[in-house]
Amino acid sequence: MKMVAASKMKQDVNRLERAKFFGIGSLTKVFENESYLQKKNPASNPKRTLVVPVSTDKGLCGGINSGVVREVKAMLKEDRNSYRLSIIGDKGCSGLLRPFPELVDSSITNLSVPLNFATAASIGFRMSQKMDEL
């Protein structure tokens, strides 16, 4: 089991290493130059904030999943009513559904691995729809 996990981890690290330079600075450039996003930028503060914690569905990522849940709990401790949760991953859903059942708006689980652009784009579209609903 450990050898299989180590092999998969090495493959994922190699993929991330090859794609690292694509992501550096590209998102900020997209947000700065996209006129549609600039039009949608609200002039006032929103009533609620959508928090999208990303965790895993299964695997040997217990420290990462518990860290995500811990950070979200700390964030929501201050003012629960100004946040909504849209959770990606089964581990985050089970960890956050118990303490915050009234804040969970939606959850996405059982994603195919490795993620492709179509899946990521559909998740992003769904999250933008959730933002418009707030």
mmCIF file of all heavy atoms in Angstrom, residues 97-115:
data_model
loop_
_atom_site.group_PDB
_atom_site.id
_atom_site.type_symbol
_atom_site.label_atom_id
_atom_site.label_comp_id
_atom_site.label_asym_id
_atom_site.label_seq_id
_atom_site.Cartn_x
_atom_site.Cartn_y
_atom_site.Cartn_z
ATOM 1 N N LEU A 97 -19.833 19.289 7.974
ATOM 2 C CA LEU A 97 -21.281 19.175 7.997
ATOM 3 C C LEU A 97 -21.812 19.065 9.418
ATOM 4 O O LEU A 97 -22.866 19.605 9.739
ATOM 5 C CB LEU A 97 -21.731 17.972 7.166
ATOM 6 C CG LEU A 97 -23.213 17.869 6.848
ATOM 7 C CD1 LEU A 97 -23.659 19.095 6.077
ATOM 8 C CD2 LEU A 97 -23.491 16.631 6.038
ATOM 9 N N ARG A 98 -21.055 18.400 10.288
ATOM 10 C CA ARG A 98 -21.492 18.244 11.669
ATOM 11 C C ARG A 98 -21.542 19.570 12.427
ATOM 12 O O ARG A 98 -22.565 19.896 13.018
ATOM 13 C CB ARG A 98 -20.563 17.257 12.385
ATOM 14 C CG ARG A 98 -21.302 16.234 13.156
ATOM 15 C CD ARG A 98 -20.383 15.152 13.703
ATOM 16 N NE ARG A 98 -19.759 14.403 12.624
ATOM 17 C CZ ARG A 98 -18.451 14.163 12.529
ATOM 18 N NH1 ARG A 98 -17.632 14.587 13.435
ATOM 19 N NH2 ARG A 98 -17.971 13.485 11.523
ATOM 20 N N PRO A 99 -20.474 20.376 12.420
ATOM 21 C CA PRO A 99 -20.546 21.628 13.188
ATOM 22 C C PRO A 99 -21.306 22.764 12.498
ATOM 23 O O PRO A 99 -21.781 23.672 13.172
ATOM 24 C CB PRO A 99 -19.082 22.013 13.384
ATOM 25 C CG PRO A 99 -18.342 21.339 12.305
ATOM 26 C CD PRO A 99 -19.120 20.108 11.969
ATOM 27 N N PHE A 100 -21.426 22.724 11.167
ATOM 28 C CA PHE A 100 -22.064 23.827 10.435
ATOM 29 C C PHE A 100 -23.127 23.335 9.461
ATOM 30 O O PHE A 100 -23.058 23.630 8.261
ATOM 31 C CB PHE A 100 -21.020 24.637 9.659
ATOM 32 C CG PHE A 100 -19.857 25.100 10.473
ATOM 33 C CD1 PHE A 100 -18.599 24.554 10.281
ATOM 34 C CD2 PHE A 100 -20.022 26.088 11.430
ATOM 35 C CE1 PHE A 100 -17.526 24.979 11.039
ATOM 36 C CE2 PHE A 100 -18.954 26.516 12.188
ATOM 37 C CZ PHE A 100 -17.701 25.968 11.996
ATOM 38 N N PRO A 101 -24.148 22.615 9.909
ATOM 39 C CA PRO A 101 -25.125 22.092 8.931
ATOM 40 C C PRO A 101 -25.943 23.188 8.257
ATOM 41 O O PRO A 101 -26.337 23.039 7.107
ATOM 42 C CB PRO A 101 -26.023 21.177 9.779
ATOM 43 C CG PRO A 101 -25.889 21.684 11.163
ATOM 44 C CD PRO A 101 -24.493 22.242 11.270
ATOM 45 N N GLU A 102 -26.168 24.297 8.947
ATOM 46 C CA GLU A 102 -26.985 25.363 8.371
ATOM 47 C C GLU A 102 -26.219 26.202 7.359
ATOM 48 O O GLU A 102 -26.828 26.908 6.561
ATOM 49 C CB GLU A 102 -27.539 26.276 9.482
ATOM 50 C CG GLU A 102 -26.518 27.183 10.133
ATOM 51 C CD GLU A 102 -25.654 26.504 11.202
ATOM 52 O OE1 GLU A 102 -25.828 25.315 11.468
ATOM 53 O OE2 GLU A 102 -24.791 27.193 11.753
ATOM 54 N N LEU A 103 -24.886 26.121 7.362
ATOM 55 C CA LEU A 103 -24.088 26.939 6.449
ATOM 56 C C LEU A 103 -23.732 26.229 5.150
ATOM 57 O O LEU A 103 -23.333 26.870 4.187
ATOM 58 C CB LEU A 103 -22.794 27.390 7.140
ATOM 59 C CG LEU A 103 -22.947 28.248 8.387
ATOM 60 C CD1 LEU A 103 -21.578 28.625 8.934
ATOM 61 C CD2 LEU A 103 -23.750 29.488 8.092
ATOM 62 N N VAL A 104 -23.853 24.907 5.121
ATOM 63 C CA VAL A 104 -23.454 24.137 3.942
ATOM 64 C C VAL A 104 -24.498 24.321 2.849
ATOM 65 O O VAL A 104 -25.659 23.936 2.998
ATOM 66 C CB VAL A 104 -23.265 22.651 4.281
ATOM 67 C CG1 VAL A 104 -22.945 21.856 3.029
ATOM 68 C CG2 VAL A 104 -22.152 22.487 5.307
ATOM 69 N N ASP A 105 -24.060 24.944 1.762
ATOM 70 C CA ASP A 105 -24.934 25.215 0.635
ATOM 71 C C ASP A 105 -24.940 24.048 -0.353
ATOM 72 O O ASP A 105 -25.973 23.653 -0.852
ATOM 73 C CB ASP A 105 -24.486 26.505 -0.054
ATOM 74 C CG ASP A 105 -25.493 27.022 -1.036
ATOM 75 O OD1 ASP A 105 -26.690 26.946 -0.727
ATOM 76 O OD2 ASP A 105 -25.087 27.480 -2.103
ATOM 77 N N SER A 106 -23.756 23.507 -0.616
ATOM 78 C CA SER A 106 -23.639 22.377 -1.532
ATOM 79 C C SER A 106 -22.310 21.679 -1.283
ATOM 80 O O SER A 106 -21.417 22.220 -0.629
ATOM 81 C CB SER A 106 -23.716 22.833 -2.988
ATOM 82 O OG SER A 106 -22.607 23.640 -3.294
ATOM 83 N N SER A 107 -22.194 20.481 -1.825
ATOM 84 C CA SER A 107 -20.924 19.757 -1.751
ATOM 85 C C SER A 107 -20.733 18.978 -3.045
ATOM 86 O O SER A 107 -21.689 18.526 -3.668
ATOM 87 C CB SER A 107 -20.894 18.815 -0.545
ATOM 88 O OG SER A 107 -21.859 17.803 -0.693
ATOM 89 N N ILE A 108 -19.482 18.831 -3.415
ATOM 90 C CA ILE A 108 -19.122 18.087 -4.623
ATOM 91 C C ILE A 108 -18.197 16.964 -4.187
ATOM 92 O O ILE A 108 -17.134 17.222 -3.604
ATOM 93 C CB ILE A 108 -18.417 18.990 -5.650
ATOM 94 C CG1 ILE A 108 -19.341 20.134 -6.052
ATOM 95 C CG2 ILE A 108 -17.988 18.195 -6.860
ATOM 96 C CD1 ILE A 108 -18.670 21.176 -6.920
ATOM 97 N N THR A 109 -18.581 15.721 -4.440
ATOM 98 C CA THR A 109 -17.778 14.567 -4.053
ATOM 99 C C THR A 109 -17.632 13.619 -5.229
ATOM 100 O O THR A 109 -18.264 13.797 -6.271
ATOM 101 C CB THR A 109 -18.419 13.816 -2.866
ATOM 102 O OG1 THR A 109 -19.719 13.394 -3.243
ATOM 103 C CG2 THR A 109 -18.511 14.694 -1.634
ATOM 104 N N ASN A 110 -16.786 12.609 -5.049
ATOM 105 C CA ASN A 110 -16.543 11.560 -6.047
ATOM 106 C C ASN A 110 -16.080 12.120 -7.379
ATOM 107 O O ASN A 110 -16.596 11.786 -8.438
ATOM 108 C CB ASN A 110 -17.782 10.689 -6.246
ATOM 109 C CG ASN A 110 -18.186 9.968 -4.988
ATOM 110 O OD1 ASN A 110 -17.331 9.567 -4.193
ATOM 111 N ND2 ASN A 110 -19.471 9.813 -4.773
ATOM 112 N N LEU A 111 -15.086 12.999 -7.332
ATOM 113 C CA LEU A 111 -14.511 13.544 -8.558
ATOM 114 C C LEU A 111 -13.562 12.538 -9.190
ATOM 115 O O LEU A 111 -12.921 11.757 -8.498
ATOM 116 C CB LEU A 111 -13.755 14.837 -8.258
ATOM 117 C CG LEU A 111 -14.606 16.007 -7.792
ATOM 118 C CD1 LEU A 111 -13.727 17.144 -7.312
ATOM 119 C CD2 LEU A 111 -15.499 16.475 -8.922
ATOM 120 N N SER A 112 -13.454 12.571 -10.509
ATOM 121 C CA SER A 112 -12.523 11.675 -11.193
ATOM 122 C C SER A 112 -11.094 12.173 -11.002
ATOM 123 O O SER A 112 -10.847 13.368 -10.920
ATOM 124 C CB SER A 112 -12.859 11.596 -12.678
ATOM 125 O OG SER A 112 -12.705 12.866 -13.270
ATOM 126 N N VAL A 113 -10.173 11.242 -10.911
ATOM 127 C CA VAL A 113 -8.769 11.583 -10.670
ATOM 128 C C VAL A 113 -7.958 11.084 -11.851
ATOM 129 O O VAL A 113 -8.138 9.943 -12.276
ATOM 130 C CB VAL A 113 -8.280 10.922 -9.372
ATOM 131 C CG1 VAL A 113 -6.814 11.181 -9.145
ATOM 132 C CG2 VAL A 113 -9.104 11.417 -8.196
ATOM 133 N N PRO A 114 -7.036 11.823 -12.411
ATOM 134 C CA PRO A 114 -6.701 13.210 -12.138
ATOM 135 C C PRO A 114 -7.729 14.139 -12.775
ATOM 136 O O PRO A 114 -8.372 13.794 -13.762
ATOM 137 C CB PRO A 114 -5.334 13.406 -12.781
ATOM 138 C CG PRO A 114 -5.278 12.406 -13.876
ATOM 139 C CD PRO A 114 -6.138 11.242 -13.417
ATOM 140 N N LEU A 115 -7.869 15.308 -12.202
ATOM 141 C CA LEU A 115 -8.831 16.278 -12.715
ATOM 142 C C LEU A 115 -8.395 16.780 -14.090
ATOM 143 O O LEU A 115 -7.212 16.931 -14.353
ATOM 144 C CB LEU A 115 -8.936 17.465 -11.771
ATOM 145 C CG LEU A 115 -9.632 17.214 -10.444
ATOM 146 C CD1 LEU A 115 -9.537 18.446 -9.575
ATOM 147 C CD2 LEU A 115 -11.071 16.829 -10.653
#
